[in-house]
Structure formats: C-alpha cells, structure tokens
Amino acid sequence: MNRFGIPDLGVGIGLRPVHFGQILSGSPEIDWFEVLSENYMDTGGRPLFLLDQVVERYPVALHGVSLSVGSTDPLDREYLRKLKELARRTKAHWVSDHVCWTGVLGRNTHDLLPLPYDEATLRHVIGRVREVQDVLERPLVLENPSTYLAFASSTMTEREFLARLAAEADCGLLLDVNNVYVSAFNHGFDASEYIDAIPADRVVQYHLAGHTNKGTHIVDTHSGPALDVVWDLYARATARTGLVSTLFEWDADIPPLEEVVVEARRAHAHRRTAAATGTEG
Amino acid sequence: MPSLALGGLQRWMQAVIVHPAERTREALASSEAAALVPPERLGDVVLPSETLDPAERVGIYHDMYVLRMEEALESDYPGLAHFLGPERWRQLVRGYLEAHPSRSYTLNVLGRALAEHVLAARGVSHAGFCRDLARLEWAIVEAFDAPETPILTEASLTAVPPEAWEDARLVPTAAFRLLSLHYNAGSYLDSLRGEEHDHPLPRRSPEWVAVCRRDYAVYRLPLTRPSHRLLGALAEGRSVGEAVEECLLRSRPRPTGDQIFAWFREWARSGAFQSVEV
C-alpha cells in the first residue's frame, strides 16, 4: 500500500465521450475510470449528466491538465475551487495532474511544458504543491511528463527532482511508464534506472499508452497499443510497488471500447506476477 | 550567458511557442523571444539531443501548439472549418490565436470571439457568411454546455387559467439561444449532415433560428420572421399578450391564431422555456 492509504482500484481506462453509450448500456468489465477534470468543470450539459451515471457504477479518479503547478503565474483559485467541487461530486479517489507548466502572463498554451530541474524550481514547485493540497484537503498526485527538450540549467535528473518533490511536498506520484520510455528515448537516459529510482511508496497510479516514433524523437500521442518494452518497464515497476491502480490511455484514433479494454487487460498478467512475488500494494 | 530565472525562461519559451510564424527559427528570432534569449545563445538554454538541435527541439512544441488549437476550434466550428478548407482555416486560426489567445484553464471558451474576428480576418472570402456560420455554431456550443434547467411541462401549461395567459411571462431555459442571420448559414450546416457534398453557395438570404436543448440533445428550430419576432419578445420578458400583439401589428401577412398555437407547442416541446410566470 502506498503511504497515503489510497486503494488499488485495479485496471481502468480513460473515460472518453465516444465510449459513453457502450459504457452505460453494457456495463463493461472495467475496474475504474479516469476522468479528465477540465472536461466537466464548466458544462451543465450532456457530459456531466453522463458522468454522474458513470460515477454511480464505477469508481473514478480525476486527472487534470491545467493546474500548471510549475508556472510562475499565481495559482488559479477559481480553477482549484471547481476542481475540489468536481472531486466531491464524483467521489474521486484521488486528484492528479502533471509536473509541468502550461502558460505564463495569464495565457494558457494547453501543453504540458517542461521545467528546468534545479533547486530554485524545486522549491517553487514544492510551495505550490503544498498550497494546492491545502485547498483540495487531500494529497495531490503528480505525473512525470513526456518531454521533448532539456534545459542546460538543470542540475539534477528528472527522477531526482520527482523523488525530492514527492518527499518534501508530501505528494503522491502517478508514474506514466510510457512517458518514462518516451523521455528516455528523447533525452538518452536509461528508463530502467528511472523506474528503479522512483520512491515506490509514493506511487498511487500507473499510466500506460501507445506513442508515435518520428525517428528523431518520440511523441506521446496516446495512440495504439503500448509497445512490449513499455509493458516490460511496467512489470519492473510493479515488482517494486506491488499492486497499484493502473490505467490505459488511448486518445488518438480511439477504437471501440472492447479494443481499449483488451489492451488494458494486459496489465492483469503483470499484476498477478507482482502479487505472487509478495509485493502486494 | 547567465542562466535565466524560471519566470524569464517561461516567458521566453511561451513567446516562441505561441508565435504565429510557421517556422520556429523565425519565432526564435522574434523581438519578444530574442530580448530574453538571443537566437545565437539558444544552445546556452536548451540542450541538443543526439538527433535534434536545440531549435528543432523547441520546434516540436511550437508546431504542436497550432495543431492543438486548430483541433479544439474545429470541434466547435466544424462547418466553418469545412467551408474554409484546411489552408484558409489554419490561417484564420493563427490570426485568431494572436488576437484572442487562451486565457482560461479550459479550451471550451477558446472560440467565443471567433464570429467577430472572422469579419476582419485576412484571407477570408464571404466574411459575412462566415460570421453568421460562426455565430450559429457558437450558439450550438453554448446550448450544449449550458446549465441544466427544468423544461416547461404539459402540467404547468394546463395549470395556467385561460384568463391569466395575457399577462403571463415565459422564462427561457439556460440553453436557449435566438439568432437572426443575414446569410444562409443554417442551410449550409444542414448540408453537412449527410454524406453528400452538395453544399449551397453562400448568399445573402435572411434566416431566423432558435437553438434549444431538451434531454441533453441540442436542436435547431428554423423560424419565420414573425415567429422569430414573437419568440424574441417572449425571451426578453414581455408578457404573452404584449408579445403576440406586437407580432400581429408588425407582421404581414399576419400569423393566424392556429399558427401561433402551433409555434408555442413546438417551442415548448423543444425545450425553449423552463417555466411560466403568472
């Protein structure tokens, strides 16, 4: 069990509008859903109506893309208020976002932009994570981003930055195994060493996904199945953390629900191995 | 070059990413970006990878920015994007983002000023038609996301005593939108529904339309000029008696009583009103 006592929900998939009909008419065998927070904060229409029905049948967690925890702009208090309200409405087991920034000077690029990994940035992000946790009144769970550039001013590795951030801000981690692979390719580091350096007791959730290899770099497109090498990294990670809620993301050329579920279920074999080796979460 | 503090680094990177130039090197050389990081010192800020130089790595973010915004706006404006075609649509989006960048945590509101922007945008032919098409598509977006309000029921209608109708006022639902268009934008949207690509040419031809939502489904109701006039007066809060009288006075030919009853039935059925105040 992670240090926060957040439960292992099993294997889930990202809740996408294209699947609402199949989910609500067929009650497919999926352990839980991850809900994109911003899609439901400002709508009173069909999406929220359908989300309420999903929440009645399945456990959910919220996953955001606009917290911008690394930005030098002030935190958006209205956003946090709405996020807290959505978490209450959906009985979300946890709330996650990314170690990144999305904009400054009041603008939002709607991208998950990379941070320099240095002491000043670490102190800045730690302070903001604490602030967010005070508002949400729960631990924040932060995901390692996929990145396409690295700053010359970085003085530590991403994994060191994450480990120190989690320890000093006392937050949880969402380990996106595909992002580790993508960033390892783009920056030339060892993905296995990264996985081994993540503090196991802080991992609350895993992400798995497909990606697109452009030859010179890999883009985290969330398209198609995950590569075997990503599954191998997941197996390596679960051997350390034990059973942790796992989620498969598919956002480009989204296939029928059954296909996403089949891909997600590949996680079960690795979870059984983790359980058998006695590393139960 | 001394390393930039986090705020400066973020201002620089954002200036490059959101710059409307198609080529990243042009964005890197823009005055805003170059004031923080001179292009020739880029290597002091961003590391190369084994396969990409620093400018190419920044370019990944620069290229993705426009694609992401294009995709978000196209989901709100499929008709306008289809009418303009990929080239002119992208040009419109680039200009729009410069004038109206996202300042919200949600992409849902990014397109709210597009209808006004399109009138003055460079390279847009049939600007008046495009503006009307954008107004109609944005009304549909707003109706889709509006807060849920109750719908006027048969029971609440029949509960109104006949003598009270003249002074009664109908309260529109939160999703209700009413438009008066100068061009055939509604007909163009209709033509996008099927597989056929037989779209009407833009022409100046007034159309009146109400956008309503019932059971979370959004409907477009084509109106006539008199029915638009009546519905508009009701939505503004005039009493049923005042609204009908004004409609009868200003409309030629005058709508009949049967026609007016049929309009009311359709509006109520489509979720235009939430309640009747007596």
Side-chain angles (χ1 to χ4, degrees):
Chain A
M1 177 69 79
N2 55 72
R3 62 167 55 227
F4 306 101
I6 293 175
D8 165 34
L9 298 181
V11 178
I13 65 170
L15 183 66
R16 303 294 179 260
V18 70
H19 293 144
F20 267 132
Q22 279 180 285
I23 293 165
L24 294 174
S25 63
S27 296
E29 281 186 38
I30 297 163
D31 295 335
W32 64 285
F33 285 99
E34 185 184 73
V35 176
L36 292 174
S37 314
E38 292 81 5
N39 288 3
Y40 302 92
M41 280 181 175
D42 289 288
T43 182
R46 190 174 185 79
L48 196 60
F49 169 68
L50 295 174
L51 175 63
D52 285 342
Q53 293 179 56
V54 170
V55 166
E56 280 174 20
R57 303 177 194 191
Y58 296 94
V60 303
L62 294 185
H63 186 53
V65 291
S66 286
L67 177 62
S68 200
V69 78
S71 173
T72 45
D73 270 6
L75 284 165
D76 185 336
R77 294 279 160 177
E78 179 64 3
Y79 173 83
L80 288 176
R81 187 189 65 74
K82 289 184 177 178
L83 181 60
K84 188 176 183 180
E85 167 54 24
L86 187 66
R88 185 202 59 76
R89 181 182 184 122
T90 58
K91 303 178 186 72
H93 283 267
W94 63 90
V95 175
S96 66
D97 207 292
H98 302 79
V99 178
C100 72
W101 61 286
T102 63
V104 281
L105 306 173
R107 288 181 72 149
N108 192 345
T109 68
H110 299 277
D111 199 351
L112 309 173
L113 302 172
L115 289 164
Y117 298 127
D118 56 33
E119 283 296 331
T121 304
L122 181 62
R123 300 261 70 85
H124 174 71
V125 179
I126 287 169
R128 285 167 64 99
V129 171
R130 287 181 181 149
E131 223 178 314
V132 171
Q133 293 181 145
D134 284 348
V135 174
L136 297 181
E137 298 180 285
R138 57 165 81 205
L140 180 64
V141 178
L142 285 172
E143 174 180 345
N144 55 302
S146 53
T147 54
Y148 311 105
L149 67 75
F151 292 107
S153 57
S154 288
T155 54
M156 63 185 94
T157 62
E158 181 176 291
R159 56 182 188 266
E160 287 171 322
F161 188 91
L162 278 182
R164 288 186 58 191
L165 172 63
E168 294 180 47
D170 197 19
C171 66
L173 293 174
L174 191 175
L175 184 56
D176 189 316
V177 181
N178 181 59
N179 286 356
V180 173
Y181 180 79
V182 168
S183 293
F185 183 96
N186 291 342
H187 303 301
F189 64 73
D190 186 317
S192 299
E193 282 179 14
Y194 188 114
I195 296 286
D196 293 348
I198 293 298
D201 65 339
R202 297 225 171 241
V203 179
V204 169
Q205 183 191 343
Y206 285 111
H207 266 174
L208 292 155
H211 57 245
T212 303
N213 192 327
K214 301 275 193 184
T216 53
H217 61 284
I218 294 180
V219 181
D220 178 32
T221 48
H222 295 181
S223 56
L227 294 191
D228 284 344
V229 65
V230 172
W231 284 109
D232 290 345
L233 288 172
Y234 173 66
R236 187 181 187 100
T238 54
R240 296 182 65 242
T241 63
L243 299 180
V244 168
S245 301
T246 298
L247 183 119
F248 197 87
E249 300 175 291
W250 200 321
D251 290 301
D253 307 318
I254 302 175
L257 183 66
E258 304 78 34
E259 205 175 315
V260 185
V261 171
V262 164
E263 187 61 19
R265 282 191 183 141
R266 290 181 66 187
H268 282 301
H270 299 291
R271 284 169 54 83
R272 278 193 292 274
T273 307
T277 52
T279 45
E280 281 194 46
Chain B
M1 181 184 156
S3 66
L4 281 172
L6 183 61
L9 193 64
Q10 293 182 339
R11 286 196 300 279
W12 166 77
M13 189 168 176
Q14 178 170 282
V16 177
I17 290 172
V18 305
H19 195 277
E22 286 201 23
R23 290 158 49 85
T24 305
R25 287 182 200 276
E26 208 180 310
L28 287 163
S30 67
S31 56
E32 197 183 347
L36 290 159
V37 178
E40 67 275 13
R41 307 303 298 266
L42 178 62
D44 294 345
V45 177
V46 175
L47 298 172
S49 71
E50 276 185 21
T51 50
L52 298 173
D53 66 30
E56 289 168 328
R57 301 186 92 183
V58 181
I60 296 169
Y61 291 97
H62 179 236
D63 294 347
M64 286 196 298
Y65 172 70
V66 174
L67 290 175
R68 187 178 313 105
M69 297 299 168
E70 239 183 271
E71 195 181 303
L73 287 170
E74 191 171 344
S75 71
D76 289 341
Y77 294 101
L80 183 60
H82 186 86
F83 175 75
L84 291 174
E87 199 77 1
R88 282 185 298 161
W89 171 247
R90 177 166 292 188
Q91 197 183 342
L92 176 69
V93 169
R94 281 182 190 273
Y96 179 70
L97 292 174
E98 228 187 323
H100 302 278
S102 176
R103 296 192 176 280
S104 169
Y105 53 81
T106 173
L107 280 166
N108 281 9
V109 294
L110 176 64
R112 64 183 156 198
L114 190 63
E116 293 317 309
H117 176 83
V118 81
L119 263 186
R122 277 183 302 161
V124 175
S125 52
H126 305 288
F129 169 79
C130 289
R131 176 176 178 263
D132 273 358
L133 190 51
R135 285 178 61 213
L136 181 54
E137 294 198 293
W138 189 249
I140 293 167
V141 168
E142 287 190 323
F144 182 80
D145 281 326
E148 178 67 356
T149 42
I151 301 290
L152 193 62
T153 61
E154 189 77 32
S156 55
L157 279 175
T158 51
V160 180
E163 66 278 11
W165 270 109
E166 188 165 352
D167 292 326
R169 290 171 205 279
L170 289 157
V171 181
T173 55
F176 175 79
R177 297 289 183 278
L178 187 65
L179 293 105
S180 168
L181 307 170
H182 302 293
Y183 293 84
N184 56 334
S187 308
Y188 186 84
L189 270 194
D190 288 339
S191 76
L192 292 174
R193 282 179 177 153
E195 295 294 309
E196 294 171 22
H197 293 279
D198 187 16
H199 309 309
L201 292 172
R203 64 186 161 81
R204 207 172 164 88
S205 163
E207 289 185 354
W208 298 274
V209 60
V211 178
C212 307
R213 191 176 86 199
R214 180 167 190 144
D215 297 331
Y216 298 98
V218 176
Y219 300 94
R220 269 190 292 134
L221 302 180
L223 304 170
T224 60
R225 186 169 197 155
S227 64
H228 175 270
R229 184 173 286 142
L230 175 56
L231 191 49
L234 292 167
E236 282 171 12
R238 313 266 187 86
S239 71
V240 172
E242 287 169 348
V244 169
E245 189 182 340
E246 187 187 316
C247 175
L248 291 174
L249 273 175
R250 294 179 59 193
S251 303
R252 293 290 178 275
R254 283 185 173 186
T256 65
D258 284 350
Q259 277 177 315
I260 292 176
F261 277 119
W263 295 343
F264 270 91
R265 273 196 299 275
E266 189 185 19
W267 298 338
R269 210 173 32 236
S270 304
F273 299 111
Q274 55 173 301
S275 61
V276 54
E277 290 175 353
V278 179

